[in-house]
Amino acid sequence: EDQVTQSPEALRLQEGESSSLNCSYTVSGLRGLFWYRQDPGKGPEFLFTLYSAGEEKEKERLKATLTKKESFLHITAPKPEDSATYLCAVQAANTGNQFYFGTGTSLTVIP
Amino acid sequence: ETGVTQTPRHLVMGMTNKKSLKCEQHLGHNAMYWYKQSAKKPLELMFVYNFKEQTENNSVPSRFSPECPNSSHLFLHLHTLQPEDSALYLCASSQDNGWSYEQYFGPGTRLTVT
């Protein structure tokens, strides 16, 4: 069964304290792995798409990496405005448009 | 702000009411989606429309009825809902090229069933 597991469930960081979020997945043929940011009361905001192992994408303080079993979202020197829930989703080769989402990591960055 | 809008943003309805959620995308995409988001649970895909044709219906109860009149508009008609249907309902769109493309989400409708 296709699955996506995110860890940790919640993370508190001091401003400037770098860390990583994990997304582990099991799918039958990966079409794409997606990272989203979601602020309270809002819809998920697209961040990155990764298609194959070894691929990396960067945007400001965020860097996403992908292996055959997991993806990491690295946050370098975070700021309070980076506080949000980060969602990971995968699209499998045999399930058409369907995305499988994890439950997310709630990140709080303390000034 | 994304190119996907949803109305209303908040909705409170009784179990015997009938209401509709509306979604509009301004991105020129050809696929649209309805998701349900409940606390501590992954986003649940409810319906998918490709080129106005429904291609996915993930065992959603019949009290939820989708409608897609064209590739830019999507509705979710609600009737005789249950309190456990209270959740954030999200609409998304993507350009389906037959492989993989990211989905863009609207702000959601916070639904409370009393």
Side-chain angles (χ1 to χ4, degrees):
Chain A
E1 181 178 314
D2 297 333
Q3 281 193 325
V4 179
T5 303
Q6 290 189 247
S7 62
E9 184 175 325
L11 181 63
R12 290 172 63 91
L13 299 173
Q14 290 292 134
E15 184 172 0
E17 179 187 2
S18 301
S19 189
S20 298
L21 312 182
N22 178 264
C23 173
S24 298
Y25 64 91
T26 54
V27 292
S28 302
L30 181 70
R31 280 194 180 183
L33 184 141
F34 306 85
W35 282 100
Y36 289 86
R37 167 193 171 128
Q38 186 172 24
D39 293 296
K42 296 188 176 182
E45 174 191 349
F46 171 72
L47 294 173
F48 304 108
T49 307
L50 301 167
Y51 292 106
S52 57
E55 189 175 1
E56 298 181 352
K57 294 274 181 73
E58 284 190 71
K59 180 181 180 180
E60 297 181 353
R61 295 176 293 281
L62 301 177
K63 179 180 177 180
T65 61
L66 181 66
T67 72
K68 290 186 177 181
K69 294 183 178 181
E70 58 192 349
S71 176
F72 291 94
L73 185 65
H74 306 279
I75 303 176
T76 301
K79 299 182 177 181
E81 54 262 40
D82 294 322
S83 298
T85 295
Y86 291 85
L87 300 173
C88 169
V90 298
Q91 186 177 15
N94 60 349
T95 55
N97 299 79
Q98 183 147 344
F99 277 26
Y100 294 96
F101 279 86
T103 52
T105 293
S106 176
L107 173 67
T108 302
V109 181
I110 306 162
Chain B
E1 190 68 38
T2 68
V4 181
T5 58
Q6 290 186 244
T7 55
R9 294 294 309 276
H10 300 272
L11 178 63
V12 178
M13 60 185 289
M15 294 169 61
T16 58
N17 291 159
K18 290 184 180 181
K19 296 286 185 182
S20 295
L21 309 184
K22 178 183 177 181
C23 174
E24 183 173 0
Q25 60 96 0
H26 311 273
L27 301 169
H29 290 164
N30 56 19
M32 297 187 75
Y33 311 76
W34 280 117
Y35 285 89
K36 176 183 179 182
Q37 187 174 35
S38 304
K40 304 295 185 182
K41 290 185 177 181
L43 269 71
E44 300 174 47
L45 180 65
M46 300 175 72
F47 302 104
V48 181
Y49 279 83
N50 268 350
F51 296 99
K52 303 185 299 178
E53 299 296 321
Q54 185 175 314
T55 58
E56 298 280 350
N57 175 343
N58 281 1
S59 303
V60 179
S62 59
R63 57 185 183 271
F64 295 92
S65 175
E67 178 188 0
C68 188
N70 55 60
S71 59
S72 298
H73 293 86
L74 185 64
F75 295 89
L76 188 62
H77 303 299
L78 316 171
H79 65 97
T80 59
L81 295 189
Q82 304 298 311
E84 58 264 30
D85 296 323
S86 298
L88 182 68
Y89 288 85
L90 293 163
C91 174
S93 71
S94 70
Q95 183 62 31
D96 183 9
N97 66 355
W99 185 246
S100 175
Y101 260 90
E102 53 269 9
Q103 296 179 11
Y104 291 88
F105 287 83
T109 295
R110 172 65 63 185
L111 174 66
T112 303
V113 181
T114 60

PDB file of all heavy atoms in Angstrom, chain B residues 9-34:
ATOM      1  N   ARG B   9     -15.666  31.303   2.437  1.00  0.00           N
ATOM      2  CA  ARG B   9     -14.502  30.914   3.223  1.00  0.00           C
ATOM      3  C   ARG B   9     -14.911  30.195   4.499  1.00  0.00           C
ATOM      4  O   ARG B   9     -14.175  29.346   5.002  1.00  0.00           O
ATOM      5  CB  ARG B   9     -13.672  32.145   3.571  1.00  0.00           C
ATOM      6  CG  ARG B   9     -13.043  32.828   2.366  1.00  0.00           C
ATOM      7  CD  ARG B   9     -11.983  31.940   1.691  1.00  0.00           C
ATOM      8  NE  ARG B   9     -11.018  31.423   2.633  1.00  0.00           N
ATOM      9  CZ  ARG B   9      -9.948  32.097   3.023  1.00  0.00           C
ATOM     10  NH1 ARG B   9      -9.716  33.301   2.563  1.00  0.00           N
ATOM     11  NH2 ARG B   9      -9.108  31.555   3.899  1.00  0.00           N
ATOM     12  N   HIS B  10     -16.081  30.551   5.017  1.00  0.00           N
ATOM     13  CA  HIS B  10     -16.601  29.897   6.219  1.00  0.00           C
ATOM     14  C   HIS B  10     -18.068  29.579   5.991  1.00  0.00           C
ATOM     15  O   HIS B  10     -18.792  30.384   5.391  1.00  0.00           O
ATOM     16  CB  HIS B  10     -16.452  30.803   7.444  1.00  0.00           C
ATOM     17  CG  HIS B  10     -15.035  31.182   7.737  1.00  0.00           C
ATOM     18  ND1 HIS B  10     -14.204  30.429   8.517  1.00  0.00           N
ATOM     19  CD2 HIS B  10     -14.304  32.252   7.324  1.00  0.00           C
ATOM     20  CE1 HIS B  10     -13.011  31.008   8.595  1.00  0.00           C
ATOM     21  NE2 HIS B  10     -13.043  32.109   7.877  1.00  0.00           N
ATOM     22  N   LEU B  11     -18.511  28.424   6.507  1.00  0.00           N
ATOM     23  CA  LEU B  11     -19.901  28.016   6.335  1.00  0.00           C
ATOM     24  C   LEU B  11     -20.327  27.210   7.540  1.00  0.00           C
ATOM     25  O   LEU B  11     -19.656  26.255   7.930  1.00  0.00           O
ATOM     26  CB  LEU B  11     -20.056  27.184   5.055  1.00  0.00           C
ATOM     27  CG  LEU B  11     -21.442  26.630   4.758  1.00  0.00           C
ATOM     28  CD1 LEU B  11     -22.430  27.766   4.553  1.00  0.00           C
ATOM     29  CD2 LEU B  11     -21.405  25.738   3.516  1.00  0.00           C
ATOM     30  N   VAL B  12     -21.448  27.629   8.120  1.00  0.00           N
ATOM     31  CA  VAL B  12     -22.055  26.866   9.213  1.00  0.00           C
ATOM     32  C   VAL B  12     -23.421  26.407   8.706  1.00  0.00           C
ATOM     33  O   VAL B  12     -24.210  27.219   8.231  1.00  0.00           O
ATOM     34  CB  VAL B  12     -22.219  27.726  10.480  1.00  0.00           C
ATOM     35  CG1 VAL B  12     -22.894  26.904  11.586  1.00  0.00           C
ATOM     36  CG2 VAL B  12     -20.871  28.257  10.950  1.00  0.00           C
ATOM     37  N   MET B  13     -23.674  25.132   8.787  1.00  0.00           N
ATOM     38  CA  MET B  13     -24.949  24.621   8.301  1.00  0.00           C
ATOM     39  C   MET B  13     -25.492  23.529   9.207  1.00  0.00           C
ATOM     40  O   MET B  13     -24.731  22.807   9.860  1.00  0.00           O
ATOM     41  CB  MET B  13     -24.831  24.114   6.859  1.00  0.00           C
ATOM     42  CG  MET B  13     -23.847  23.012   6.645  1.00  0.00           C
ATOM     43  SD  MET B  13     -23.669  22.583   4.886  1.00  0.00           S
ATOM     44  CE  MET B  13     -25.224  21.794   4.530  1.00  0.00           C
ATOM     45  N   GLY B  14     -26.810  23.460   9.242  1.00  0.00           N
ATOM     46  CA  GLY B  14     -27.461  22.412   9.994  1.00  0.00           C
ATOM     47  C   GLY B  14     -27.485  21.126   9.195  1.00  0.00           C
ATOM     48  O   GLY B  14     -27.220  21.099   7.993  1.00  0.00           O
ATOM     49  N   MET B  15     -27.807  20.045   9.864  1.00  0.00           N
ATOM     50  CA  MET B  15     -27.757  18.732   9.228  1.00  0.00           C
ATOM     51  C   MET B  15     -28.808  18.582   8.139  1.00  0.00           C
ATOM     52  O   MET B  15     -28.679  17.727   7.259  1.00  0.00           O
ATOM     53  CB  MET B  15     -27.901  17.639  10.288  1.00  0.00           C
ATOM     54  CG  MET B  15     -26.719  17.585  11.248  1.00  0.00           C
ATOM     55  SD  MET B  15     -26.992  16.544  12.691  1.00  0.00           S
ATOM     56  CE  MET B  15     -27.251  14.951  11.922  1.00  0.00           C
ATOM     57  N   THR B  16     -29.844  19.400   8.142  1.00  0.00           N
ATOM     58  CA  THR B  16     -30.895  19.267   7.134  1.00  0.00           C
ATOM     59  C   THR B  16     -30.754  20.273   6.005  1.00  0.00           C
ATOM     60  O   THR B  16     -31.559  20.285   5.073  1.00  0.00           O
ATOM     61  CB  THR B  16     -32.278  19.430   7.781  1.00  0.00           C
ATOM     62  OG1 THR B  16     -32.343  20.715   8.416  1.00  0.00           O
ATOM     63  CG2 THR B  16     -32.529  18.333   8.813  1.00  0.00           C
ATOM     64  N   ASN B  17     -29.754  21.151   6.090  1.00  0.00           N
ATOM     65  CA  ASN B  17     -29.570  22.178   5.070  1.00  0.00           C
ATOM     66  C   ASN B  17     -28.986  21.631   3.777  1.00  0.00           C
ATOM     67  O   ASN B  17     -28.403  20.538   3.743  1.00  0.00           O
ATOM     68  CB  ASN B  17     -28.630  23.275   5.571  1.00  0.00           C
ATOM     69  CG  ASN B  17     -29.230  24.114   6.679  1.00  0.00           C
ATOM     70  OD1 ASN B  17     -28.529  24.754   7.431  1.00  0.00           O
ATOM     71  ND2 ASN B  17     -30.550  24.121   6.783  1.00  0.00           N
ATOM     72  N   LYS B  18     -29.135  22.421   2.712  1.00  0.00           N
ATOM     73  CA  LYS B  18     -28.446  22.179   1.454  1.00  0.00           C
ATOM     74  C   LYS B  18     -27.629  23.421   1.120  1.00  0.00           C
ATOM     75  O   LYS B  18     -28.166  24.526   1.123  1.00  0.00           O
ATOM     76  CB  LYS B  18     -29.429  21.929   0.310  1.00  0.00           C
ATOM     77  CG  LYS B  18     -30.186  20.613   0.382  1.00  0.00           C
ATOM     78  CD  LYS B  18     -31.042  20.442  -0.859  1.00  0.00           C
ATOM     79  CE  LYS B  18     -31.810  19.123  -0.830  1.00  0.00           C
ATOM     80  NZ  LYS B  18     -32.625  18.940  -2.053  1.00  0.00           N
ATOM     81  N   LYS B  19     -26.367  23.231   0.839  1.00  0.00           N
ATOM     82  CA  LYS B  19     -25.488  24.340   0.492  1.00  0.00           C
ATOM     83  C   LYS B  19     -24.525  23.881  -0.596  1.00  0.00           C
ATOM     84  O   LYS B  19     -24.381  22.687  -0.851  1.00  0.00           O
ATOM     85  CB  LYS B  19     -24.674  24.807   1.709  1.00  0.00           C
ATOM     86  CG  LYS B  19     -25.500  25.377   2.848  1.00  0.00           C
ATOM     87  CD  LYS B  19     -26.026  26.756   2.501  1.00  0.00           C
ATOM     88  CE  LYS B  19     -26.756  27.352   3.702  1.00  0.00           C
ATOM     89  NZ  LYS B  19     -27.331  28.684   3.382  1.00  0.00           N
ATOM     90  N   SER B  20     -23.828  24.853  -1.210  1.00  0.00           N
ATOM     91  CA  SER B  20     -22.835  24.527  -2.220  1.00  0.00           C
ATOM     92  C   SER B  20     -21.551  25.303  -1.978  1.00  0.00           C
ATOM     93  O   SER B  20     -21.587  26.475  -1.591  1.00  0.00           O
ATOM     94  CB  SER B  20     -23.367  24.860  -3.623  1.00  0.00           C
ATOM     95  OG  SER B  20     -24.475  24.052  -3.934  1.00  0.00           O
ATOM     96  N   LEU B  21     -20.432  24.637  -2.223  1.00  0.00           N
ATOM     97  CA  LEU B  21     -19.127  25.282  -2.217  1.00  0.00           C
ATOM     98  C   LEU B  21     -18.712  25.532  -3.662  1.00  0.00           C
ATOM     99  O   LEU B  21     -18.969  24.705  -4.539  1.00  0.00           O
ATOM    100  CB  LEU B  21     -18.083  24.391  -1.529  1.00  0.00           C
ATOM    101  CG  LEU B  21     -18.436  23.837  -0.161  1.00  0.00           C
ATOM    102  CD1 LEU B  21     -17.236  23.070   0.408  1.00  0.00           C
ATOM    103  CD2 LEU B  21     -18.898  24.920   0.774  1.00  0.00           C
ATOM    104  N   LYS B  22     -18.058  26.678  -3.879  1.00  0.00           N
ATOM    105  CA  LYS B  22     -17.633  27.032  -5.222  1.00  0.00           C
ATOM    106  C   LYS B  22     -16.132  27.194  -5.295  1.00  0.00           C
ATOM    107  O   LYS B  22     -15.508  27.717  -4.365  1.00  0.00           O
ATOM    108  CB  LYS B  22     -18.304  28.343  -5.659  1.00  0.00           C
ATOM    109  CG  LYS B  22     -17.895  28.826  -7.049  1.00  0.00           C
ATOM    110  CD  LYS B  22     -18.540  30.152  -7.390  1.00  0.00           C
ATOM    111  CE  LYS B  22     -18.073  30.668  -8.738  1.00  0.00           C
ATOM    112  NZ  LYS B  22     -18.681  31.980  -9.071  1.00  0.00           N
ATOM    113  N   CYS B  23     -15.557  26.765  -6.407  1.00  0.00           N
ATOM    114  CA  CYS B  23     -14.130  26.913  -6.654  1.00  0.00           C
ATOM    115  C   CYS B  23     -13.937  27.405  -8.080  1.00  0.00           C
ATOM    116  O   CYS B  23     -14.616  26.946  -9.003  1.00  0.00           O
ATOM    117  CB  CYS B  23     -13.415  25.573  -6.467  1.00  0.00           C
ATOM    118  SG  CYS B  23     -11.665  25.582  -6.900  1.00  0.00           S
ATOM    119  N   GLU B  24     -13.007  28.339  -8.263  1.00  0.00           N
ATOM    120  CA  GLU B  24     -12.673  28.837  -9.592  1.00  0.00           C
ATOM    121  C   GLU B  24     -11.158  28.924  -9.719  1.00  0.00           C
ATOM    122  O   GLU B  24     -10.496  29.439  -8.824  1.00  0.00           O
ATOM    123  CB  GLU B  24     -13.317  30.205  -9.826  1.00  0.00           C
ATOM    124  CG  GLU B  24     -13.074  30.761 -11.222  1.00  0.00           C
ATOM    125  CD  GLU B  24     -13.849  32.035 -11.490  1.00  0.00           C
ATOM    126  OE1 GLU B  24     -14.578  32.505 -10.596  1.00  0.00           O
ATOM    127  OE2 GLU B  24     -13.718  32.571 -12.609  1.00  0.00           O
ATOM    128  N   GLN B  25     -10.641  28.430 -10.841  1.00  0.00           N
ATOM    129  CA  GLN B  25      -9.203  28.544 -11.059  1.00  0.00           C
ATOM    130  C   GLN B  25      -8.924  29.420 -12.274  1.00  0.00           C
ATOM    131  O   GLN B  25      -9.623  29.324 -13.282  1.00  0.00           O
ATOM    132  CB  GLN B  25      -8.554  27.157 -11.186  1.00  0.00           C
ATOM    133  CG  GLN B  25      -9.049  26.290 -12.318  1.00  0.00           C
ATOM    134  CD  GLN B  25      -8.186  26.363 -13.563  1.00  0.00           C
ATOM    135  OE1 GLN B  25      -7.188  27.069 -13.622  1.00  0.00           O
ATOM    136  NE2 GLN B  25      -8.579  25.606 -14.582  1.00  0.00           N
ATOM    137  N   HIS B  26      -7.901  30.278 -12.122  1.00  0.00           N
ATOM    138  CA  HIS B  26      -7.544  31.262 -13.146  1.00  0.00           C
ATOM    139  C   HIS B  26      -6.183  30.933 -13.760  1.00  0.00           C
ATOM    140  O   HIS B  26      -5.471  31.821 -14.234  1.00  0.00           O
ATOM    141  CB  HIS B  26      -7.507  32.658 -12.517  1.00  0.00           C
ATOM    142  CG  HIS B  26      -8.725  32.983 -11.699  1.00  0.00           C
ATOM    143  ND1 HIS B  26      -9.866  33.531 -12.251  1.00  0.00           N
ATOM    144  CD2 HIS B  26      -8.994  32.817 -10.384  1.00  0.00           C
ATOM    145  CE1 HIS B  26     -10.767  33.706 -11.300  1.00  0.00           C
ATOM    146  NE2 HIS B  26     -10.272  33.278 -10.157  1.00  0.00           N
ATOM    147  N   LEU B  27      -5.804  29.656 -13.719  1.00  0.00           N
ATOM    148  CA  LEU B  27      -4.463  29.251 -14.139  1.00  0.00           C
ATOM    149  C   LEU B  27      -4.439  28.540 -15.478  1.00  0.00           C
ATOM    150  O   LEU B  27      -3.376  28.109 -15.926  1.00  0.00           O
ATOM    151  CB  LEU B  27      -3.855  28.333 -13.051  1.00  0.00           C
ATOM    152  CG  LEU B  27      -3.739  28.976 -11.660  1.00  0.00           C
ATOM    153  CD1 LEU B  27      -3.386  27.938 -10.599  1.00  0.00           C
ATOM    154  CD2 LEU B  27      -2.694  30.083 -11.682  1.00  0.00           C
ATOM    155  N   GLY B  28      -5.600  28.356 -16.093  1.00  0.00           N
ATOM    156  CA  GLY B  28      -5.653  27.663 -17.373  1.00  0.00           C
ATOM    157  C   GLY B  28      -5.422  26.165 -17.268  1.00  0.00           C
ATOM    158  O   GLY B  28      -5.073  25.517 -18.268  1.00  0.00           O
ATOM    159  N   HIS B  29      -5.620  25.609 -16.081  1.00  0.00           N
ATOM    160  CA  HIS B  29      -5.410  24.187 -15.865  1.00  0.00           C
ATOM    161  C   HIS B  29      -6.584  23.365 -16.387  1.00  0.00           C
ATOM    162  O   HIS B  29      -7.692  23.884 -16.595  1.00  0.00           O
ATOM    163  CB  HIS B  29      -5.201  23.899 -14.377  1.00  0.00           C
ATOM    164  CG  HIS B  29      -3.900  24.417 -13.856  1.00  0.00           C
ATOM    165  ND1 HIS B  29      -3.647  24.550 -12.493  1.00  0.00           N
ATOM    166  CD2 HIS B  29      -2.773  24.825 -14.491  1.00  0.00           C
ATOM    167  CE1 HIS B  29      -2.416  25.016 -12.324  1.00  0.00           C
ATOM    168  NE2 HIS B  29      -1.873  25.199 -13.525  1.00  0.00           N
ATOM    169  N   ASN B  30      -6.353  22.049 -16.553  1.00  0.00           N
ATOM    170  CA  ASN B  30      -7.417  21.194 -17.071  1.00  0.00           C
ATOM    171  C   ASN B  30      -7.884  20.138 -16.069  1.00  0.00           C
ATOM    172  O   ASN B  30      -8.751  19.326 -16.384  1.00  0.00           O
ATOM    173  CB  ASN B  30      -6.969  20.505 -18.365  1.00  0.00           C
ATOM    174  CG  ASN B  30      -5.693  19.706 -18.182  1.00  0.00           C
ATOM    175  OD1 ASN B  30      -5.311  19.374 -17.080  1.00  0.00           O
ATOM    176  ND2 ASN B  30      -5.040  19.407 -19.288  1.00  0.00           N
ATOM    177  N   ALA B  31      -7.324  20.125 -14.871  1.00  0.00           N
ATOM    178  CA  ALA B  31      -7.746  19.175 -13.846  1.00  0.00           C
ATOM    179  C   ALA B  31      -8.069  19.923 -12.565  1.00  0.00           C
ATOM    180  O   ALA B  31      -7.368  20.877 -12.196  1.00  0.00           O
ATOM    181  CB  ALA B  31      -6.651  18.137 -13.586  1.00  0.00           C
ATOM    182  N   MET B  32      -9.144  19.504 -11.885  1.00  0.00           N
ATOM    183  CA  MET B  32      -9.551  20.135 -10.626  1.00  0.00           C
ATOM    184  C   MET B  32      -9.901  19.060  -9.614  1.00  0.00           C
ATOM    185  O   MET B  32     -10.330  17.957  -9.984  1.00  0.00           O
ATOM    186  CB  MET B  32     -10.722  21.085 -10.835  1.00  0.00           C
ATOM    187  CG  MET B  32     -10.382  22.259 -11.759  1.00  0.00           C
ATOM    188  SD  MET B  32     -11.679  23.504 -11.866  1.00  0.00           S
ATOM    189  CE  MET B  32     -11.490  24.344 -10.278  1.00  0.00           C
ATOM    190  N   TYR B  33      -9.718  19.395  -8.339  1.00  0.00           N
ATOM    191  CA  TYR B  33      -9.811  18.414  -7.266  1.00  0.00           C
ATOM    192  C   TYR B  33     -10.563  18.991  -6.068  1.00  0.00           C
ATOM    193  O   TYR B  33     -10.463  20.179  -5.783  1.00  0.00           O
ATOM    194  CB  TYR B  33      -8.407  18.040  -6.752  1.00  0.00           C
ATOM    195  CG  TYR B  33      -7.398  17.695  -7.817  1.00  0.00           C
ATOM    196  CD1 TYR B  33      -6.799  18.683  -8.589  1.00  0.00           C
ATOM    197  CD2 TYR B  33      -7.028  16.366  -8.046  1.00  0.00           C
ATOM    198  CE1 TYR B  33      -5.869  18.374  -9.562  1.00  0.00           C
ATOM    199  CE2 TYR B  33      -6.091  16.051  -9.014  1.00  0.00           C
ATOM    200  CZ  TYR B  33      -5.518  17.060  -9.763  1.00  0.00           C
ATOM    201  OH  TYR B  33      -4.591  16.741 -10.737  1.00  0.00           O
ATOM    202  N   TRP B  34     -11.251  18.118  -5.344  1.00  0.00           N
ATOM    203  CA  TRP B  34     -11.769  18.437  -4.012  1.00  0.00           C
ATOM    204  C   TRP B  34     -11.062  17.550  -2.997  1.00  0.00           C
ATOM    205  O   TRP B  34     -10.970  16.327  -3.182  1.00  0.00           O
ATOM    206  CB  TRP B  34     -13.273  18.198  -3.903  1.00  0.00           C
ATOM    207  CG  TRP B  34     -14.142  19.273  -4.453  1.00  0.00           C
ATOM    208  CD1 TRP B  34     -15.020  19.166  -5.491  1.00  0.00           C
ATOM    209  CD2 TRP B  34     -14.263  20.617  -3.989  1.00  0.00           C
ATOM    210  NE1 TRP B  34     -15.657  20.358  -5.708  1.00  0.00           N
ATOM    211  CE2 TRP B  34     -15.212  21.266  -4.787  1.00  0.00           C
ATOM    212  CE3 TRP B  34     -13.647  21.350  -2.962  1.00  0.00           C
ATOM    213  CZ2 TRP B  34     -15.572  22.610  -4.617  1.00  0.00           C
ATOM    214  CZ3 TRP B  34     -14.002  22.674  -2.787  1.00  0.00           C
ATOM    215  CH2 TRP B  34     -14.951  23.294  -3.611  1.00  0.00           C
TER     216      TRP B  34
END
